[in-house]
């Protein structure tokens, strides 16, 4: 199948009866990249994927594959592979025939269809199940059939719509590695939709965070993890403590106060004294220290190497943190946070 | 008291473990009703068909098959009911296929398509006579447009019964096919599309195979409905000739000749022919995939 150098989405927009599902998505996908579209349900990530696949027409915008305009083509003419959330395996066809289906549609010679189908089956380790119907397979096996069916055509782009969300936790981890391995082995360009930030961070080369149909941030996992662009991305990236505060001073160090606390932080974007901000900090950046502010432990959850603690400040602000030793509920502790780990986002946030 | 309740619960559990549900006993009266009003007369009729006044136990059957006029009712009825059933199922598929999605006016359109169910055969017959009769709107329009010089005969013959059966049978077929179609997961077709299948291939390779078992069932039901045609064969047909269907023959034997054994024999033949057709269709159906179709059907 034709390999492209670049896939460009220009102002891709989709409205459903006046409701904006996706607004002005600009994205350039380089060949071989693994892109994750990340966001809560209803953020437009599946809409974006369906627009790419051609299953939904665009309301506005264009999609280019190098110099070819794609958004006017029917899905069957785009040559993309797609893995659906519910797998969408053809229930009346055996595993082998499911995987061979796309090759048969291309009217390839019989010998080539047999060879490539057998190879794809070997790739996902389903030799034993080749003659079975999808209904006789476990969820993980069905998932592998769906992936093999999409990649057997050597598509220029593979689209995956929350492919792991129907699997149990252990299998999800295994399949995550499996998909990443396939991606590397076959050099497939992949667009992967998920609502699981951990999944997106661990698999993707670049992430696109969406909210309410609008792009919040595009960047590498490291960029998103350490420098979230706004409070919504931060919320999604594991900043569980988001405190409404007010800026006191700016300059060498930015000081904020609110809820009985006065803290030093790092502003993201422009902040001025008197501005309302949201101060975000990860549970793992909040430490128990002698020189900190007082709080009372309320809930302690055992999580293996450490414990997750929920504490309440004297002014009633709930905070999440990690602790190595195990405090008891009711304990008085003192908490501190590094100025670099406390990010200050303008309270309005980007849209 | 507590002890009594405990043993009761335990007994129910013990029965449940053996697959016995005592509440099914509540079906008893209904079962009795069916046995006295259907099963008993049914077997009584079969017995009666073997007791003709002359010709031994198979005399009634022999006299039916020996008489070409009587025997011919079988082919007449099949010649009506098979094409009608095929048309009803065949026409339902594309219409239901177009209507499986969500669109504005779906409810109205479905209602219009299904309303004939409520009309009943007599009303349908009257409408057909008014519309398709020699002085009906249809012929008058065609004549005033000079498409035809003489009225086309569409009532009191084969076509009158044919149209009547289509009007009353189509809604059943359509409703069944629509529900079978909506039981097929729509993402299967999307998946086929991303794999390079055009709409015709998607229909032929994915939708049709998954729909086929449902079509077989629908065919059987509409066939039985059309095979037992009686009122419209009399009202808009030619009950003495072209549309002398088998139920007319049975009625004739029973209530004009008062030959109950022969009427029963004709009824048994009627039932057997239906069984043969249904068995053939269901036999073919059993060769198909009949499992889950992915949807919520």
């Amino acid at each position: 199948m034709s390999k492209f150098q670049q896939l460009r989405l220009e102002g891709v927009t989709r409205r459903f009866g006046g409701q904006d599902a996706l607004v002005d998505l600009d994205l350039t996908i380089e060949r071989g990249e693994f892109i994750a579209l990340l966001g809560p349900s209803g953020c437009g990530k599946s809409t974006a994927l369906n627009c790419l696949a051609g299953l939904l027409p665009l309301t506005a915008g264009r999609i280019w594959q190098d110099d070819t305009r794609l958004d006017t083509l029917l899905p069957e003419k785009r040559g993309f592979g797609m893995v659906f959330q519910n797998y969408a395996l053809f229930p009346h066809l055996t595993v082998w025939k499911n995987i061979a289906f796309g090759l048969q549609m291309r009217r390839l010679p019989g010998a080539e269809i047999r060879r490539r189908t057998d190879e794809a089956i070997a790739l996902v380790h389903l030799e034993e199940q080749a003659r079975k119907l999808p209904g006789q397979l476990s969820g993980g096996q069905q998932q592998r059939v769906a992936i093999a069916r999409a990649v057997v055509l050597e598509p220029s782009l593979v689209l995956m719509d929350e492919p792991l969300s129907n699997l149990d936790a252990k299998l999800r981890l295994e399949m995550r590695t499996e998909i990443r391995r396939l991606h590397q082995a076959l050099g497939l360009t992949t667009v992967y939709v998920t609502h699981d930030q951990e999944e997106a961070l661990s698999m993707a080369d670049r992430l696109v965070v969406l909210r309410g149909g609008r792009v919040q941030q595009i960047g590498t996992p490291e960029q998103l993890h350490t420098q979230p662009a706004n409070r919504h991305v931060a919320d999604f990236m594991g900043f569980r403590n988001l405190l409404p505060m007010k800026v006191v001073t700016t300059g060498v160090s930015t000081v904020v106060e609110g809820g009985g606390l006065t803290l030093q932080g790092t502003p993201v974007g422009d902040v001025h004294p008197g501005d309302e901000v949201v101060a975000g900090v990860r549970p793992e950046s909040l430490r128990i220290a002698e020189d900190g502010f007082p709080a009372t432990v309320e809930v302690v959850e055992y999580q293996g190497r450490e414990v997750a603690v929920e504490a309440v400040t004297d002014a009633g602000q709930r905070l999440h943190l990690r602790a190595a030793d195990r405090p008891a509920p009711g304990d008085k502790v003192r908490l501190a946070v590094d100025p670099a780990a406390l990010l200050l986002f303008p309270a309005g946030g980007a849209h | 008291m507590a002890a009594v309740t405990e043993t009761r619960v335990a007994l129910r559990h013990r029965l449940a473990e053996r697959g016995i549900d005592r509440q099914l006993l509540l079906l008893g009266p209904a079962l009795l009703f069916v046995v006295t009003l259907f099963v008993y007369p049914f077997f009584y009729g079969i017995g009666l068909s073997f007791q003709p006044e002359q010709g031994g136990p198979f005399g009634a059957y022999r006299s039916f098959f020996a008489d070409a006029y009587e025997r011919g009712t079988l082919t007449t009825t099949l010649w009506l009911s098979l094409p009608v059933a095929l048309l009803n199922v065949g026409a339902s598929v594309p219409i239901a296929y177009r209507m499986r999605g969500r669109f504005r006016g779906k409810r109205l359109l479905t209602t219009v398509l299904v309303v004939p169910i409520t009309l009943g055969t007599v009303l349908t017959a009257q409408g057909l006579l008014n519309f398709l009769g020699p002085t009906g709107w249809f012929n008058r329009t065609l004549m005033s447009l000079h498409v035809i010089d003489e009225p086309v005969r569409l009532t009191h013959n084969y076509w009158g019964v044919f149209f009547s059966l289509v009007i009353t049978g189509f809604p059943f077929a359509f409703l069944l096919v629509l529900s079978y179609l909506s039981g097929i997961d729509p993402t299967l077709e999307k998946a086929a599309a991303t794999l390079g299948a055009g709409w015709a291939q998607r229909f032929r390779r994915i939708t049709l195979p998954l729909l086929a078992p449902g079509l077989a069932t629908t065919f059987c039901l509409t066939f039985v409905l059309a095979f037992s045609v009686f009122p419209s064969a009399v009202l808009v047909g030619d009950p003495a000739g072209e549309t002398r269907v088998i139920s007319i023959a049975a009625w004739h034997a029973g209530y004009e000749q008062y030959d109950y054994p022969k009427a029963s024999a004709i009824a048994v033949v009627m039932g057997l022919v239906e069984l043969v057709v249904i068995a053939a269709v269901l036999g073919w159906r059993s060769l198909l995939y009949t499992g889950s179709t992915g949807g919520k059907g």
Side-chain angles (χ1 to χ4, degrees):
Chain A
M1 200 50 215
S2 62
K3 294 282 180 196
F4 60 86
Q5 288 307 315
Q6 252 188 9
L7 194 83
R8 291 192 312 284
L9 284 76
E10 293 176 358
V12 171
T13 299
R14 171 70 199 188
R15 261 178 233 114
F16 290 105
Q19 201 90 328
D20 287 335
L22 185 67
V23 184
D24 259 341
L25 172 63
D26 291 313
L27 178 67
T28 304
I29 302 166
E30 303 289 338
R31 180 174 166 177
E33 253 191 317
F34 195 121
I35 303 266
L37 302 182
L38 177 66
S41 63
C43 74
K45 55 193 193 301
S46 288
T47 307
L49 202 73
N50 281 306
C51 285
L52 256 175
L55 298 172
L56 277 178
L58 308 187
T59 310
R62 293 183 177 192
I63 301 171
W64 297 89
Q65 178 170 302
D66 293 333
D67 296 322
T68 322
R69 189 167 167 192
L70 269 192
D71 55 279
T72 48
L73 290 183
L74 289 171
E76 57 264 33
K77 305 281 179 208
R78 297 195 186 190
F80 293 167
M82 184 150 174
V83 179
F84 293 83
Q85 184 170 8
N86 66 354
Y87 318 140
L89 299 179
F90 307 132
H92 60 302
L93 300 180
T94 60
V95 167
W96 197 92
K97 284 184 177 161
N98 260 283
I99 296 173
F101 185 85
L103 298 168
Q104 286 164 349
M105 290 299 114
R106 299 252 156 103
R107 303 188 187 288
L108 297 175
E112 188 181 349
I113 292 178
R114 276 193 294 280
R115 180 180 58 79
R116 284 172 65 174
T117 306
D118 289 338
E119 279 174 14
I121 286 176
L123 189 70
V124 292
H125 315 295
L126 283 175
E127 292 92 337
E128 306 281 306
Q129 274 74 32
R131 305 282 155 205
K132 289 188 185 167
L133 289 175
Q136 298 166 288
L137 304 184
S138 70
Q141 288 169 335
Q142 291 187 28
Q143 175 63 77
R144 295 217 291 271
V145 178
I147 293 172
R149 188 177 68 174
V151 303
V152 71
L153 295 169
E154 294 167 19
S156 55
L157 181 68
V158 181
L159 306 166
M160 297 197 183
D161 189 2
E162 307 218 19
L164 305 185
S165 59
N166 287 352
L167 300 179
D168 62 54
K170 181 171 172 289
L171 209 52
R172 201 147 58 211
L173 282 179
E174 277 172 29
M175 286 305 297
R176 206 196 267 182
T177 321
E178 184 91 3
I179 290 176
R180 185 70 211 182
R181 183 179 66 79
L182 277 175
H183 169 77
Q184 284 165 356
L186 303 176
L188 295 167
T189 315
T190 307
V191 176
Y192 186 102
V193 160
T194 179
H195 62 264
D196 182 337
Q197 48 105 0
E198 213 185 296
E199 206 172 284
L201 287 172
S202 67
M203 294 172 85
D205 299 320
R206 273 201 302 156
L207 280 76
V208 179
V209 182
L210 289 161
R211 179 171 174 272
R214 287 161 207 272
V215 172
Q216 303 293 305
Q217 191 174 4
I218 301 180
T220 63
E222 294 78 17
Q223 279 168 348
L224 265 79
H225 195 77
T226 54
Q227 304 153 28
N230 60 46
R231 51 165 298 202
H232 302 299
V233 180
D235 191 13
F236 223 76
M237 285 295 138
F239 285 74
R240 274 191 84 188
N241 303 303
L242 292 168
L243 322 173
M245 299 192 111
K246 201 172 209 143
V247 179
V248 182
T249 57
T250 55
V252 186
S253 66
T254 309
V255 178
V256 289
E257 64 174 21
L261 305 176
T262 305
L263 300 168
Q264 273 187 46
T266 311
V268 177
D270 265 355
V271 296
H272 304 286
D275 282 0
E276 302 281 341
V277 291
V278 173
V281 60
R282 291 176 188 283
E284 53 269 34
S285 308
L286 209 54
R287 39 191 179 77
I288 297 176
E290 287 304 315
D291 56 346
F293 53 85
T296 311
V297 174
E298 275 217 331
V299 181
V300 180
E301 291 169 36
Y302 177 70
Q303 290 191 338
R305 255 182 31 202
E306 50 186 13
V307 292
V309 178
E310 190 180 301
V312 187
T313 64
D314 295 346
Q317 175 69 51
R318 260 162 223 290
L319 293 170
H320 300 274
L321 64 142
R322 302 262 192 274
D325 55 351
R326 193 165 185 172
D331 281 2
K332 301 280 182 202
V333 288
R334 284 186 164 272
L335 304 175
V337 56
D338 282 338
L342 186 77
L343 301 183
L344 308 174
F345 304 102
H351 294 289
Chain B
M1 195 62 211
V4 174
T5 324
E6 245 169 53
T7 48
R8 258 189 209 160
V9 170
L11 178 64
R12 200 169 73 202
H13 276 258
R14 280 207 309 277
L15 287 173
E17 268 171 26
R18 290 156 198 265
I20 299 168
D21 183 354
R22 280 190 305 168
Q23 281 179 2
L24 285 178
L25 287 177
L26 291 173
L27 281 176
L31 211 61
L32 189 72
F33 197 74
V34 170
V35 167
T36 48
L37 287 180
F38 176 72
V39 178
Y40 168 68
F42 181 73
F43 283 103
Y44 182 80
I46 292 180
L48 203 58
S49 74
F50 292 111
Q51 299 158 20
E53 288 181 17
Q54 50 193 345
F58 295 103
Y61 291 94
R62 226 177 281 133
S63 87
F64 175 78
F65 283 105
D67 185 345
Y69 185 58
E70 299 282 294
R71 193 173 60 216
T73 57
L74 259 182
T75 42
T76 302
T77 318
L78 283 174
W79 181 236
L80 255 177
S81 51
L82 285 175
V84 161
L86 267 179
L87 179 76
N88 281 342
V89 175
S92 303
V93 173
I95 298 174
Y97 190 65
R98 286 304 304 175
M99 286 184 59
R100 84 213 121 114
R102 281 198 303 179
F103 58 90
R104 202 177 287 252
K106 177 172 179 171
R107 189 188 291 230
L108 180 73
L109 191 54
T110 314
T111 312
V112 169
L113 288 171
V114 168
V115 149
I117 282 188
T118 62
L119 294 181
T121 36
V122 178
L123 206 56
T124 310
Q126 180 171 7
L128 274 174
L129 289 176
N130 281 332
F131 181 69
L132 292 178
T135 55
W137 302 343
F138 182 75
N139 272 315
R140 267 193 279 168
T141 311
L142 286 188
M143 286 204 328
S144 63
L145 291 172
H146 299 292
V147 181
I148 49 170
D149 296 329
E150 279 179 34
V152 188
R153 265 204 63 186
L154 292 172
T155 52
H156 296 300
N157 62 3
Y158 176 83
W159 292 108
V161 186
F162 186 90
F163 288 128
S164 160
L165 288 176
V166 168
I167 289 169
T168 44
F170 173 80
F172 279 108
F174 169 73
L175 279 184
L176 280 168
V177 171
L178 189 65
S179 77
Y180 279 117
L181 257 179
S182 48
I184 298 175
D185 180 3
T187 49
L188 294 180
E189 270 200 68
K190 291 185 187 173
T194 62
L195 291 167
W199 75 266
Q201 284 166 316
R202 296 202 288 270
F203 180 75
R204 200 171 60 80
R205 301 281 307 264
I206 306 300
T207 309
L208 195 57
L210 292 175
L211 189 60
L215 292 185
T217 310
T218 311
F219 178 86
C220 287
L221 287 173
T222 46
F223 166 75
V224 168
L225 217 62
F227 193 81
S228 53
V229 55
F230 183 74
S232 54
V234 175
L235 295 170
V236 285
D238 172 17
E242 238 186 311
T243 68
R244 188 169 189 268
V245 291
I246 191 163
S247 53
I248 293 182
W251 177 77
H252 193 77
Y255 299 103
E256 284 187 355
Q257 300 172 344
Y258 296 103
D259 185 350
Y260 288 150
K262 188 175 172 195
S264 303
I266 295 175
V268 169
V269 168
M270 196 172 158
L272 283 178
V273 171
E274 285 177 344
L275 274 182
V276 166
V277 171
I278 291 173
V281 173
L282 293 186
W284 169 73
R285 181 184 184 267
S286 70
L287 301 177
L288 305 172
Y289 169 81
T290 52
S292 145
T293 51
K296 40 193 182 315

